[in-house]
Amino acid sequence: MIKEDYDVSNIYKLDGRVPVSKAIPFGLQHVLAMFVSNVTPIILISGVAIYNGNSFSSLDTALLV
């Protein structure tokens, strides 16, 4: 294994290897982006939703999330 195999410049290569110290923050960034993209529509819809003439309370929104 050559040290150059795990260079930061490999981020931009198709099969490049990234050092673990750089890969962990990138992985966490992806997890947070996926979490936000799943929760945001629920929060937006519950903000305008009406059920039996009443708008959703914060408890209803929390239950949906």
Side-chain angles (χ1 to χ4, degrees):
M1 180 169 62
I2 301 172
K3 178 115 172 112
E4 295 172 3
D5 288 344
Y6 295 101
D7 190 20
V8 177
S9 65
N10 286 330
I11 293 172
Y12 305 106
K13 295 181 182 177
L14 180 61
D15 292 326
R17 299 270 221 174
V18 181
V20 174
S21 63
K22 298 288 182 186
I24 290 175
F26 292 149
L28 289 174
Q29 178 184 9
H30 279 79
V31 169
L32 290 174
M34 289 184 290
F35 178 76
V36 168
S37 67
N38 287 321
V39 172
T40 301
I42 297 171
I43 294 172
L44 291 174
I45 291 172
S46 67
V48 296
I50 296 175
Y51 181 71
N52 286 338
N54 299 323
S55 60
F56 278 24
S57 67
S58 58
L59 177 63
D60 295 330
T61 303
L63 289 173
L64 283 174
V65 171

